[in-house]
Amino acid sequence: MALASVLRLFPSSPPHLSPLLCKSPPPFPFNSNRFSSSPFPILNQRSSFVTAALPDSADEQTVVSVDSVVSEDNFNDPRVIVSACLVGVFTGIAVVLFNNGVHEIRDFFWDGIPYRGASWLREEPLDSVWVRVIFVPACGGLIVSVLNAARNAVSEASYSAKAALGSVLKALAACVTLGTGNSLGPEGPSVEIGSSIAKEIHSLLDKNPQTKLSLLAAGAAAGISSGFNAAVAGCFFAVESVLWPSSPADSSVSLTNTTSMVILSAVIASVISEVGLGSEPAFKVPEYDFRSPGELPLYLLLGLLCGLVSSAFSKLTSYLLGVVDNLNKDVGIPKPVFPIVGGLTVGVIALAYPEILYWGFDNVDLLLESRPFVKGLSGDLLFQLVAVKIIATSLCRAFGLVGGYYAPSLFIGAATGMAYGKFISFAIAQSDPAIHLSILEVASPQAYGLVGMAAMLAGVCQVPLTAVLLLFELTQDYRIVLPLLGAVGLSSWITSGQMKRKDVKGTKALEDGNRYTIQQPEESDNTTSLSSTEAPPYFNNLCEVESSLCIDDSSIRTKDLEKRIFVKEAMRTRYVTVMTSTLLTEAVTLMLTEKQSCAIIVDNDNLLLGLLTLTDIHEFSKFAKDKSLDSKVLLVSEICSSDGAKCKVPWTATPTMDILSAEMIMNEYDLSHVPVISERVKDCRGQPIGLLDRECISLTCRALATRESLDFDTVKAIVE
């Protein structure tokens, strides 16, 4: 039967169409060529412009090569290098001012107590210190609450003003949070300061969208390198946190040129940081030793332990964030109350465990026993500090205090490693002589503490290369590399399957908008409902744990755009349709003619039956060849009946659904094409009116974003 590709244009949709995804139609009646008729008539069709067909492979290669040439030209512009250097300069200056602000606030509120140390505070009578210990963090929470309210008020301003002023207010909130001793860290805010500066410089000097991601990476590198005084680690951090997660979505980024920008920015920021804050590293590296290569299994066990602790840390943070959100929405507790409660809680905990307070890295030095004339902590106290620090830090993040997770991760890692090292040394010293464990030479607990710091940082923040390079850069000892690689690799591997990057702002926007429900395929009479905006329960949101790991807001703005675009605006109206009695060779010919990688299977009444892809045909051709079947007479029905999973459509879209909702389902079920049906009839079968795929979604978003940009530039020119 000769079939031709059908050109269809979607008519205006009735307002009552549900934006729900439709479940798959029932199994195909492949044993019969007769299909039951539908009470719904076929939609009238009318001609319109022909949507351009998908380019073939040769055309795609041509386009890619042209884009790459354009990208190289953009990066060769001198303004790009100048912009990267300016990012390094201003980020270095801003981080110096930020850290000096933290120190000034600390001196004002704590009256020199941090210089005496947590050990001194632990030995002091509670009557003389409890007021300051409890109410200084609470006072910090009060000020942060006011600053957070100001940030929310700024959100109603224009985008550029909101970004600039919001970043300043957030940096001030971080200064107050850390200066008053709350259990967070300064490196995350430093990264966000660098990224904010990069965005502003990009908007002023270099407005090319292809270089924006590179400047963001340069800002992130500058923030880490100036915060830790470690330029090499800053460069790798930019690659791990910005370039690798974003590069699949933005193939126009030139990694070679971007690397140059990142290195320049990191070096300049690190030099400025040394001038403003001194050349000393973030924390003092204690004296340590490595005794024997036979210790490597012990470091692997430490990596396993740090991976489990990292997972518990992330899970507790995500859980408490959900609890606080429910208290705000369901109970009605105002958001400004939470930072005050968070600071008060930290103060109460600090009465028993003053080491959890953030006083720079002095408390980390205390754990590593690198401070002279200070008694080290016992193993059982170190294990207690691990649990208490996890709780205090998670509460600070959940209650809205501002800061990063890098410093707390290093603290927890140091405590875990030191406790582990002391336990190993004690176990070997007290072992039965018959077992001969005493002949095993083990390193000092400080060595395990350093390795534990890197393993915990890699597990919590998913930056294993940064963690390894940071410790190697600070210790400058090659002997630590092998234990580092083993422990960091194992810790990162344990948590990598439980961490998922998902921007919080985009998710919140979707939840606040038209929330929809996804129904699982009906395997039985019991149907389970799952909200599409909720990740599986075993995933932790990496962006919630450390927001500086998700500084590229292009995905947030893209999701905002996708939420305003409907499927009927993005779907292909030119697509291939076949029937179950169509020859496979004829179906492939039609796909080749229309440059499509799939065909929609319909019945005699033009109702959707399934989806046939070139991949399915290619796999079935191998099966047919092994069975010595004549490929010239094979029908579509045979390939669909050979495997129950082939040709089936797990989900179908409706025209009035926004493409953000559709794309989330495509990601959830790993779909590259989704048929669009006019309306749902019996068993969710309907008349196909279009085809939605990832390429048309990307093209529509880019085109509409460009149109909005042109409209904005036109209005701006008229105003000027």
Side-chain angles (χ1 to χ4, degrees):
M1 174 170 46
L3 294 176
S5 61
V6 182
L7 174 65
R8 295 182 172 90
L9 181 67
F10 172 70
S12 59
S13 303
H16 65 275
L17 286 182
S18 171
L20 297 179
L21 287 177
C22 189
K23 293 176 296 184
S24 61
F28 304 100
F30 292 117
N31 295 331
S32 173
N33 289 330
R34 304 291 297 175
F35 299 91
S36 59
S37 60
S38 169
F40 292 86
I42 299 178
L43 294 177
N44 295 328
Q45 309 296 336
R46 54 189 178 90
S47 300
S48 177
F49 63 89
V50 178
T51 306
L54 288 171
D56 55 18
S57 59
D59 294 336
E60 289 178 351
Q61 293 176 358
T62 303
V63 171
V64 170
S65 63
V66 172
D67 288 343
S68 63
V69 172
V70 174
S71 176
E72 292 294 333
D73 292 339
N74 291 328
F75 279 95
N76 289 332
D77 190 340
R79 289 180 299 177
V80 174
I81 297 299
V82 173
S83 299
C85 293
L86 290 177
V87 168
V89 170
F90 287 111
T91 300
I93 295 174
V95 170
V96 169
L97 295 176
F98 172 74
N99 282 277
N100 287 333
V102 172
H103 294 158
E104 292 297 328
I105 294 174
R106 182 191 308 158
D107 293 341
F108 175 79
F109 279 99
W110 288 104
D111 192 25
I113 292 179
Y115 299 104
R116 302 171 189 172
S119 298
W120 175 86
L121 186 59
R122 175 181 289 276
E123 296 174 358
E124 281 294 297
L126 289 179
D127 295 342
S128 60
V129 297
W130 73 271
V131 174
R132 189 180 297 272
V133 171
I134 291 179
F135 288 104
V136 166
C139 183
L142 175 62
I143 300 174
V144 169
S145 179
V146 174
L147 292 173
N148 287 344
R151 286 170 55 201
N152 294 333
V154 170
S155 63
E156 300 178 359
S158 62
Y159 181 81
S160 58
K162 176 177 66 175
L165 188 55
S167 300
V168 173
L169 292 174
K170 188 172 185 179
L172 290 176
C175 275
V176 175
T177 297
L178 302 174
T180 52
N182 285 286
S183 182
L184 290 169
E187 288 74 28
S190 298
V191 173
E192 296 192 30
I193 288 172
S195 65
S196 300
I197 291 174
K199 293 173 186 176
E200 293 300 321
I201 291 179
H202 177 267
S203 63
L204 293 175
L205 298 182
D206 182 18
K207 298 184 178 181
N208 193 328
Q210 291 181 330
T211 60
K212 180 180 179 181
L213 186 64
S214 301
L215 279 179
L216 283 177
I224 284 292
S225 61
S226 58
F228 282 111
N229 198 10
V232 177
C235 295
F236 277 84
F237 175 82
V239 173
E240 286 188 293
S241 65
V242 180
L243 297 181
W244 283 354
S246 304
S247 56
D250 190 357
S251 59
S252 64
V253 173
S254 173
L255 186 58
T256 302
N257 294 284
T258 299
T259 304
S260 302
M261 298 169 61
V262 167
I263 292 175
L264 280 174
S265 181
V267 169
I268 293 174
S270 183
V271 170
I272 294 176
S273 176
E274 285 190 14
V275 174
L277 300 176
S279 58
E280 294 295 325
F283 53 88
K284 296 178 181 179
V285 178
E287 294 184 2
Y288 63 94
D289 57 349
F290 290 100
R291 298 292 180 85
S292 126
E295 283 186 277
L296 186 58
L298 297 179
Y299 288 103
L300 295 179
L301 288 176
L302 175 60
L304 175 63
L305 177 61
C306 289
L308 297 175
V309 175
S310 301
S311 178
F313 190 15
S314 302
K315 286 181 179 295
L316 181 61
T317 300
S318 299
Y319 173 76
L320 290 178
L321 282 166
V323 170
V324 171
D325 188 58
N326 291 334
L327 289 175
N328 172 245
K329 293 180 178 179
D330 300 337
V331 182
I333 300 177
K335 285 186 177 180
V337 174
F338 291 113
I340 304 173
V341 176
L344 192 63
T345 305
V346 169
V348 172
I349 296 175
L351 288 177
Y353 300 96
E355 292 83 4
I356 68 164
L357 295 170
Y358 175 76
W359 290 339
F361 280 93
D362 292 341
N363 287 337
V364 174
D365 295 336
L366 174 64
L367 298 180
L368 296 175
E369 301 178 4
S370 58
R371 299 182 64 180
F373 311 112
V374 176
K375 183 180 179 181
L377 304 180
S378 62
D380 57 343
L381 180 58
L382 288 170
F383 277 122
Q384 294 175 39
L385 285 175
V386 171
V388 172
K389 185 69 173 180
I390 288 176
I391 295 172
T393 306
S394 299
L395 286 173
C396 286
R397 171 54 53 84
F399 283 134
L401 294 164
V402 182
Y405 263 37
Y406 302 100
S409 299
L410 294 174
F411 180 98
I412 296 170
T416 303
M418 287 291 294
Y420 176 83
K422 291 188 175 185
F423 173 77
I424 292 296
S425 299
F426 176 80
I428 292 178
Q430 300 297 324
S431 62
D432 190 342
I435 305 179
H436 300 293
L437 287 179
S438 58
I439 64 174
L440 178 63
E441 292 185 328
V442 295
S444 61
Q446 285 83 352
Y448 290 96
L450 290 172
V451 174
M453 292 171 69
M456 188 65 62
L457 180 62
V460 174
C461 301
Q462 288 297 294
V463 284
L465 292 180
T466 302
V468 171
L469 266 297
L470 176 63
L471 264 294
F472 178 68
E473 192 171 3
L474 294 177
T475 59
Q476 298 181 358
D477 188 352
Y478 183 77
R479 296 177 302 164
I480 202 173
V481 171
L482 285 180
L484 270 179
L485 290 175
V488 166
L490 191 56
S491 175
S492 180
W493 173 74
I494 290 174
T495 58
S496 61
Q498 303 176 8
M499 303 294 288
K500 186 175 182 180
R501 289 179 183 267
K502 183 175 67 172
D503 61 90
V504 182
K505 295 180 182 178
T507 303
K508 294 295 183 184
L510 181 61
E511 289 177 348
D512 295 338
N514 54 330
R515 188 182 182 96
Y516 59 89
T517 302
I518 306 170
Q519 291 182 336
Q520 299 292 343
E522 290 186 351
E523 301 291 345
S524 62
D525 294 337
N526 298 326
T527 302
T528 305
S529 296
L530 173 68
S531 171
S532 67
T533 61
E534 296 175 357
Y538 49 84
F539 277 117
N540 299 316
N541 191 346
L542 188 60
C543 298
E544 286 182 341
V545 173
E546 179 50 68
S547 58
S548 65
L549 295 172
C550 305
I551 59 176
D552 183 13
D553 63 348
S554 59
S555 61
I556 299 175
R557 302 186 70 178
T558 300
K559 282 180 169 55
D560 180 67
L561 182 63
E562 289 178 349
K563 191 181 175 184
R564 294 185 280 114
I565 302 174
F566 294 103
V567 168
K568 62 183 178 183
E569 300 175 82
M571 68 182 186
R572 299 184 186 275
T573 55
R574 189 182 184 104
Y575 53 91
V576 177
T577 58
V578 297
M579 302 182 69
T580 55
S581 57
T582 303
L583 295 173
L584 285 180
T585 54
E586 186 176 352
V588 174
T589 301
L590 289 172
M591 294 183 200
L592 180 63
T593 302
E594 296 300 331
K595 305 299 185 293
Q596 301 278 356
S597 61
C598 66
I600 296 178
I601 307 174
V602 297
D603 61 10
N604 292 333
D605 295 309
N606 195 36
L607 292 178
L608 174 68
L609 287 178
L611 194 68
L612 180 67
T613 66
L614 284 175
T615 302
D616 294 336
I617 298 176
H618 180 69
E619 293 177 354
F620 183 73
S621 65
K622 297 179 181 179
F623 170 79
K625 186 176 181 180
D626 294 338
K627 297 296 183 179
S628 300
L629 300 178
D630 187 1
S631 60
K632 296 182 180 180
V633 297
L634 294 177
L635 303 178
V636 172
S637 59
E638 296 181 68
I639 186 175
C640 294
S641 60
S642 64
D643 186 347
K646 293 185 183 299
C647 302
K648 286 189 176 182
V649 181
W651 303 99
T652 56
T654 54
T656 54
M657 179 191 303
D658 60 82
I659 62 173
L660 174 60
S661 305
E663 191 174 26
M664 290 179 69
I665 301 303
M666 294 171 70
N667 294 335
E668 182 79 17
Y669 293 94
D670 195 22
L671 302 176
S672 56
H673 303 83
V674 175
V676 183
I677 59 175
S678 58
E679 56 182 317
R680 294 175 290 114
V681 294
K682 184 179 179 181
D683 296 323
C684 288
R685 293 173 58 189
Q687 296 173 338
I689 57 173
L691 185 67
L692 187 69
D693 58 44
R694 299 184 184 277
E695 183 179 358
C696 65
I697 291 176
S698 175
L699 179 61
T700 303
C701 290
R702 290 171 56 190
L704 290 181
T706 303
R707 186 176 68 181
E708 290 184 359
S709 176
L710 290 174
D711 292 341
F712 174 78
D713 292 339
T714 302
V715 173
K716 184 177 180 181
I718 293 175
V719 172
E720 293 177 350

